[in-house]
């Protein structure tokens, strides 16, 4: 018996059912609504006019606090659990357990689009909630708040649980790495990886921070002209800026900023400012590996200091531009996901830009302007076809972006690759886990 994933069903702002299961029959192309009495309401695909998934994040990036709503419309009158539903009248399903079987909201929507079409199944951020969802929000706000509070209490009672992907704890910041017991020498950089980190490289496993950071260390050593932030540094950036209003985050006092990020700009011995040549601003390519709702993706910023307002005034940049590239293996170029992409990109970019702008202001004597940094997210880099390979895709994509350094510093441009490169990316992703485990075995430090 399947666990319920629908908390409530609303019709014309009136609750008509609760604790039901929404699922699909792939063979017969049917939408199923199953209640706790094992009664099934079955709707063939031709009876579905639209199924719009609306989502709202109520916690920091990487948090499991996620609210989702499905707005269902039929092409003819139907019955849902003994309630008559008129054609083209919206039915709001409050999804309280949407992501038990899916790594992210995108995968869930793609799952439904295999039965229906992209024109029927759409994904909307909270900024585009339809009126029917807005009208039921007051009815469920107290219930959702109570559930979140109960979940937090349960979490506190059990202690912080570990997961394969990075999580952000509301009070303690990024989750600390597990105890590490094996040393590796990756291109002259000594790191430690626990058995749990190695296990996350197994088949159909989600790569955790240790495995991701080991792979990023390898890329950093191979491409020294780039600066690659490890996953914990990126998580700290989001912890610091994602919950703040943009205007507030960009006016953070220097003392507070240095308390969070002084290790990038200050000498430890004297806490004096490092010269610009010793900071990441000396690099022309910055890579941020982001984890959002158990999904890894990549943001690459090229020529960050060319976003200085003085460069715009002087027009002395030799054609080069500051550009931010957003590379997500779940999205690609499909138009139906652009609303989500724009939303996620804006949240991601707000945090990264706030971090870069204040660092440039306090330590590079540069005043960055958001409109002078072009954001690019169109690409034909192959997308992932499962729920667990976002880690390998992100690492392979990071290598691909580093390889194109000379081309990207002349940006902005759409990142397009040839058919031969597409085949290579697919092959590299498929072989990544075994290849990287074999590579780590050669890097293992064996003590006599």
């Amino acid at each position: 018996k399947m666990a319920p994933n629908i908390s409530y069903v609303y019709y014309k702002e009136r609750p008509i059912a609760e604790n039901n299961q929404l699922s699909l029959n792939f063979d017969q192309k049917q939408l199923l609504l199953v209640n706790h009495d094992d009664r099934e309401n079955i709707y063939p695909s031709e009876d579905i006019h639209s199924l719009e998934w609306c989502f709202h994040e109520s916690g920091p990036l990487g948090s499991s606090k996620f609210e989702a709503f499905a707005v269902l419309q039929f092409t003819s009158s139907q019955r849902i659990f003994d309630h008559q539903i008129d054609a083209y009248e919206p039915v709001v399903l409050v999804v309280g357990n949407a992501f038990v079987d899916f790594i992210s909201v995108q995968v869930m929507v793609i799952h439904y689009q295999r039965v229906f079409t992209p024109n029927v199944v759409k994904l909307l951020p909270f900024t585009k909630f339809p009126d029917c969802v807005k009208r039921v929000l007051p009815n469920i706000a107290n219930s959702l708040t109570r559930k979140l509070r109960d979940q937090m209490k349960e979490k506190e009672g059990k202690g912080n649980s570990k997961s394969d992907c990075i999580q952000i704890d509301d009070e303690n910041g990024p989750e600390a790495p597990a105890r590490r017991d094996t040393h590796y020498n990756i291109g002259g950089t000594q790191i430690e990886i626990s058995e749990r980190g190695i296990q996350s490289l197994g088949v159909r496993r989600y790569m955790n921070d240790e495995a991701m950071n080991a792979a990023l260390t390898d890329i950093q050593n191979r491409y020294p002209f780039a600066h690659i932030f490890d996953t914990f540094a990126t998580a700290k950036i989001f912890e610091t800026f994602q919950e703040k209003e943009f205007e507030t985050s960009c006016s953070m006092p220097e003392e507070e900023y240095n308390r969070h990020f002084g290790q990038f700009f200050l000498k430890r011995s004297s806490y004096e400012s490092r010269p610009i040549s010793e900071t990441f601003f000396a690099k022309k390519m910055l890579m941020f590996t982001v984890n959002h709702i158990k999904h890894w993706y990549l943001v690459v910023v090229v020529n960050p200091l060319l976003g200085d307002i003085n460069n715009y005034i002087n027009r002395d940049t030799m054609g080069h531009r500051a550009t931010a590239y957003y590379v997500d293996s779940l999205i690609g170029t499909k138009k139906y996901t652009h609303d989500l992409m724009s939303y996620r990109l804006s949240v991601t970019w707000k945090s990264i830009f706030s971090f870069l702008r204040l660092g440039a202001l306090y330590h590079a004597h540069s005043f960055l302007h958001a409109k002078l940094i072009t954001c690019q997210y169109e690409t034909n880099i192959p997308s992932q076809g499962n729920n667990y390979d976002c880690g390998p895709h992100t690492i392979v994509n990071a290598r691909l972006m580093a390889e194109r350094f000379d081309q990207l510093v002349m940006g902005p441009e759409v990142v397009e690759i040839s058919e031969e490169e597409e085949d290579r990316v697919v092959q590299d992703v498929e072989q990544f886990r075994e290849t990287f485990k074999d590579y780590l075995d050669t890097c293992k430090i064996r003590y006599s």
Side-chain angles (χ1 to χ4, degrees), residues 72-105:
L72 177 63
Q73 290 183 303
F74 298 99
T75 57
S76 59
S77 297
Q78 303 287 339
R79 292 190 70 82
I80 293 182
F81 305 133
D82 298 328
H83 293 272
Q84 187 69 24
I85 307 297
D86 296 333
Y88 303 106
E89 281 289 334
V91 178
V92 179
L93 299 91
V94 182
V95 186
N97 203 19
F99 310 110
V100 171
D101 298 321
F102 302 100
I103 186 175
S104 71
V105 67

Side-chain angles (χ1 to χ4, degrees), residues 235-343:
K236 181 67 174 177
I237 291 171
F238 284 108
E239 179 195 20
T240 305
F241 293 114
Q242 197 257 336
E243 286 298 301
K244 296 179 180 292
E245 294 293 333
F246 185 77
E247 292 78 8
T248 304
S249 64
C250 281
S251 59
M252 180 183 291
E254 181 175 0
E255 182 180 354
E256 181 182 354
Y257 181 82
N258 287 339
R259 187 165 65 249
H260 293 296
F261 306 109
Q263 71 272 24
F264 293 116
F265 301 103
L266 303 175
K267 297 179 180 178
R268 288 191 175 185
S269 56
S270 61
Y271 291 98
E272 295 177 354
S273 293
R274 298 181 188 176
I276 190 67
S277 59
E278 295 180 10
T279 72
F280 59 75
F281 279 124
K283 306 296 179 89
K284 291 186 176 181
M285 175 178 282
L286 311 179
M287 290 191 181
F288 300 84
T289 303
V290 184
N291 189 285
H292 186 199
I293 318 298
K294 285 192 173 182
H295 174 61
W296 295 106
Y297 59 96
L298 185 70
V299 175
V300 180
V301 183
V302 178
N303 299 323
L305 291 185
L306 292 187
D308 187 345
I309 190 68
N310 291 316
N311 286 326
Y312 176 77
I313 295 173
N314 296 332
R315 305 273 183 166
D316 187 22
T317 61
M318 298 178 63
H320 298 190
R321 293 285 299 275
T323 311
Y325 296 92
Y326 176 90
V327 188
D328 189 329
S329 60
L330 278 181
I331 292 180
T333 60
K334 297 181 179 179
K335 293 182 179 180
Y336 69 85
T337 58
H338 277 196
D339 283 342
L340 172 67
M341 183 184 298
S342 298
Y343 170 74

Side-chain angles (χ1 to χ4, degrees), residues 59-72:
L61 287 174
S63 169
S64 60
K65 299 176 187 174
F66 209 84
E67 299 166 15
F69 308 88
V71 180
L72 177 63

Side-chain angles (χ1 to χ4, degrees), residues 174-187:
E175 180 183 310
R179 184 181 65 84
R180 298 174 175 177
D181 51 13
T182 306
H183 292 73
Y184 298 84
N185 187 329
I186 299 180

Side-chain angles (χ1 to χ4, degrees), residues 9-79:
V9 179
Y10 282 86
Y11 178 57
K12 295 183 178 179
E13 294 90 60
R14 186 178 74 254
I16 60 174
E18 61 179 287
N19 297 329
N20 299 288
Q21 174 71 33
L22 180 70
S23 61
L24 291 174
N25 182 322
F26 277 87
D27 295 332
Q28 299 182 32
K29 293 191 174 182
Q30 296 173 332
L31 186 72
L32 308 179
L33 265 174
V34 186
N35 77 354
H36 56 276
D37 293 328
D38 291 332
R39 286 188 300 158
E40 291 187 349
N41 288 28
I42 301 174
Y43 309 101
S45 59
E46 57 267 22
D47 290 342
I48 308 299
H49 173 257
S50 63
L51 178 61
E52 293 182 336
W53 288 93
C54 310
F55 67 97
H56 175 239
E57 293 163 84
S58 56
L61 287 174
S63 169
S64 60
K65 299 176 187 174
F66 209 84
E67 299 166 15
F69 308 88
V71 180
L72 177 63
Q73 290 183 303
F74 298 99
T75 57
S76 59
S77 297
Q78 303 287 339
R79 292 190 70 82

